[in-house]
Amino acid sequence: MSHLMSNYLPLDVTFTAGEGCWLTDNKGQQYLDCLSGVGVVNLGHCHPTITKAIVDQASTLLHTSNWYRIENQELLAERLCGTANMDKVFFGNSGAEANEAAIKIARLHGQNKSIENPIILTANQSFHGRTMATLSATGNSKVQAGFAPLVSEFIHVDFNDSDAIKAFDGNANIVAVMLEPIQGESGVIIPDDDYLNNVQSICNNNGWLFILDEVQTGVGRTGEFFAHQHNNITPDVMTLAKGLGNGIPIGACLTKGAANELLTPGTHGSTFGGNPLVTKVALSIMDVFENDNILDNVNKQSTYIRSQLSEILKGHSAVKEIRIKGLMIAIELNVDCSTLLQKALEDNILINITGNSIRMLPPLIINKDEIDIMLEKVIKLINNAS
Ligand SMILES: Cc1ncc(COP(=O)(O)O)c(C=O)c1O
C-alpha cells in the first residue's frame, strides 16, 4: 500500500537522473523531456551554473529569516524589477503563493478605496493555483469541485474578450482584473495581439489593478523574458514561479505604482520565502539568460517548430489547430487523446495532454537535433491516434 495521498495518479516510471533535455529512469532508459516538469526546468536538468549556485550557497548559508536582511533577495528583487520595469517584490515559494499575495494586494487596494465587497475579474478556463483563494480565482469548475464555499468574490469572464471586461466599466466594487497572458493549463490559449493592451487601458480608466499571472509564461517561455513584453505594457502586479527556480521552489509577486505600498509590515509573510538559497539560484538563472542568449534560442527554435509543424501537419485529418508562442506549444486534435500520454512515454518522450491538445513545454535550451526527435515522435503519435 502506498502511503502517499491519492491526489496524483503518476505514470509508472521513476526518473533517477537528468541532464539537459534528457531524463534517465531506474532501468537506464532515456527519455526526451518535452514538459520540463510543467514549465519549470527551463534551463534543462542539472545545468552546471545552477548546480554550482546551489552547492556554493548550501555550503555558505541556507536560511535565516525575513526578520533579517537577505542580500541575495535584495539583489534578485533589483534584477527582476530592472528587467520588468517594476518596483517591488514579495517572495514566496510557489505560483499559488505568488497569486495569493497578488489577491491580498488587490483586497488592500479595495480597502484603501473603502470598497466593502471587492470583486476581482478573472477568466474562464484560467488556472491560478490550488489554495482556496487561487482555486476560487481559477475559471475551472473541476478544480473547484468539493471545496465550497469558495472565496468570494471572483467573477469569471470569457478570455480574449475585452468587451466582457469593459461591460463592468464604472462598477465601483471591482478592484482588479487577473489574467494569464497565455492560458497554459487549458492548452496554450493565445489571445489576440491587442487583448492585454485593451484590458490594461480599461483597468487604467477605472483605477483597477491589472494583475498578470506569469507563473507559466514568465522567465523566457514565450520568447520575451515576460510574456506581456510582447505587448509593450507593464502590469500593476505580476506573479512568477516555475522557471524562476528551475526546480528550486520560489514564487514572486512584483508590483508597480499604486500597488507598491499596500503590503505593510505584518500584513503578509512566508518563512521560507526568498531565502538565501532560492534567491541565489534565481540570480544564477538570470545570469544564464544573459550570458547564453536563451531568448534567442527560444525564438529561433520556435520559428523552426512552427514551420515544420505547419508543413508536416498541413491538412492532417486529426489536427484541429496548432498554437505556438515561443516554446509553449499545443496541437489540438479532433480525435480522442486519452491514451496518448502513455503511448508517448512508451516511445520515451514526455509531453502533456490537456483536454484534446498535446502540450509541449520543452526546456528553453533545446537544440535543433532534439527538436527533430520531438517532432518525429509527436507526429508519429498523432498519426497513430487518427
Ligand atoms: C498560470 C499558473 N498560475 C499558477 C500556477 C500554480 O503554481 P504552483 O503549482 O507553483 O502553485 C500554475 C501552475 O501550473 C500556473 O500554470
Side-chain angles (χ1 to χ4, degrees):
M1 184 191 87
S2 167
H3 290 283
L4 295 172
M5 288 196 193
S6 313
N7 55 317
Y8 300 111
L9 197 60
L11 293 171
D12 192 16
V13 62
T14 304
F15 299 113
T16 49
E19 192 181 346
C21 298
W22 296 89
L23 285 165
T24 307
D25 73 8
N26 55 3
K27 296 181 185 118
Q29 284 220 51
Q30 281 212 309
Y31 300 75
L32 182 60
D33 184 359
C34 294
L35 187 59
S36 309
V38 200
V40 170
V41 193
N42 285 358
L43 297 181
H45 298 280
C46 297
H47 190 291
T49 306
I50 301 173
T51 304
K52 183 172 183 317
I54 294 169
V55 171
D56 285 354
Q57 190 61 47
S59 49
T60 311
L61 182 66
L62 274 185
H63 181 85
T64 50
S65 155
N66 283 303
W67 292 349
Y68 310 95
R69 287 180 64 174
I70 298 171
E71 191 183 12
N72 291 344
Q73 194 180 115
E74 292 177 19
L75 291 171
L76 179 62
E78 187 183 342
R79 193 108 170 242
L80 282 173
C81 286
T83 309
N85 188 26
M86 297 181 79
D87 301 322
K88 302 271 182 182
V89 190
F90 164 80
F91 288 107
N93 311 283
S94 66
E97 266 187 73
N99 285 337
E100 283 280 341
I103 292 164
K104 285 178 76 172
I105 286 169
R107 288 276 177 99
L108 291 172
H109 180 61
Q111 197 189 52
N112 271 2
K113 293 163 101 184
S114 305
I115 297 172
E116 274 179 30
N117 295 305
I119 297 169
I120 300 176
L121 300 182
T122 60
N124 291 321
Q125 270 82 54
S126 58
F127 184 77
H128 297 293
R130 300 281 189 168
T131 61
M132 278 310 302
T134 58
L135 74 83
S136 303
T138 291
N140 180 342
S141 53
K142 274 196 203 150
V143 173
Q144 297 170 339
F147 298 113
L150 300 181
V151 173
S152 60
E153 174 123 0
F154 294 95
I155 296 181
H156 296 94
V157 296
D158 281 346
F159 189 60
N160 195 23
D161 179 359
S162 54
D163 286 343
I165 293 173
K166 193 150 179 42
F168 290 87
D169 247 347
N171 184 319
N173 287 328
I174 303 218
V175 290
V177 177
M178 179 172 180
L179 298 171
E180 295 156 87
I182 293 170
Q183 292 188 326
E185 292 308 288
S186 58
V188 188
I189 310 300
I190 305 168
D192 295 340
D193 286 348
D194 59 356
Y195 173 61
L196 295 181
N197 303 71
N198 292 339
V199 175
Q200 175 161 61
S201 54
I202 299 166
C203 286
N204 287 350
N205 291 342
N206 283 282
W208 306 336
L209 295 181
F210 184 32
I211 304 173
L212 283 179
D213 175 346
E214 292 239 22
V215 166
Q216 190 162 143
T217 55
V219 195
R221 176 55 58 191
T222 69
E224 292 279 358
F225 201 78
F226 305 115
H228 69 262
Q229 291 172 329
H230 291 285
N231 297 70
N232 290 317
I233 54 168
T234 308
D236 301 297
V237 181
M238 169 172 67
T239 56
L240 301 172
K242 291 190 183 273
L244 188 59
N246 215 70
I248 294 288
I250 184 169
C253 177
L254 283 76
T255 58
K256 188 175 176 68
N260 284 344
E261 308 301 336
L262 294 169
L263 291 183
T264 50
T267 52
H268 198 47
S270 161
T271 297
F272 298 136
N275 81 15
L277 176 72
V278 298
T279 43
K280 179 72 181 183
V281 170
L283 280 166
S284 77
I285 289 167
M286 302 211 45
D287 287 343
V288 175
F289 265 88
E290 263 176 45
N291 298 337
D292 295 357
N293 298 324
I294 300 297
L295 294 181
D296 288 352
N297 190 56
V298 175
N299 290 311
K300 189 170 94 185
Q301 306 304 352
S302 177
T303 307
Y304 177 64
I305 294 168
R306 183 187 297 279
S307 73
Q308 289 295 100
L309 282 180
S310 47
E311 193 183 310
I312 300 166
L313 295 177
K314 194 174 176 191
H316 196 296
S317 61
V319 176
K320 193 170 164 201
E321 192 177 43
I322 300 168
R323 298 183 289 269
I324 305 177
K325 190 82 177 177
L327 288 176
M328 271 182 113
I329 307 151
I331 306 171
E332 186 171 344
L333 304 185
N334 49 33
V335 292
D336 178 36
C337 291
S338 52
T339 59
L340 296 191
L341 198 58
Q342 180 61 36
K343 282 189 181 148
L345 192 69
E346 285 162 15
D347 197 23
N348 297 52
I349 182 169
L350 273 64
I351 53 159
N352 168 246
I353 302 296
T354 161
N356 243 17
S357 296
I358 297 175
R359 180 173 56 145
M360 287 162 280
L361 302 166
L364 309 182
I365 51 149
I366 194 165
N367 64 33
K368 182 176 171 296
D369 289 349
E370 290 161 337
I371 284 176
D372 284 336
I373 298 172
M374 171 181 96
L375 294 174
E376 189 204 311
K377 285 179 184 289
V378 167
I379 286 158
K380 189 164 100 189
L381 206 62
I382 296 171
N383 287 337
N384 290 341
S386 41

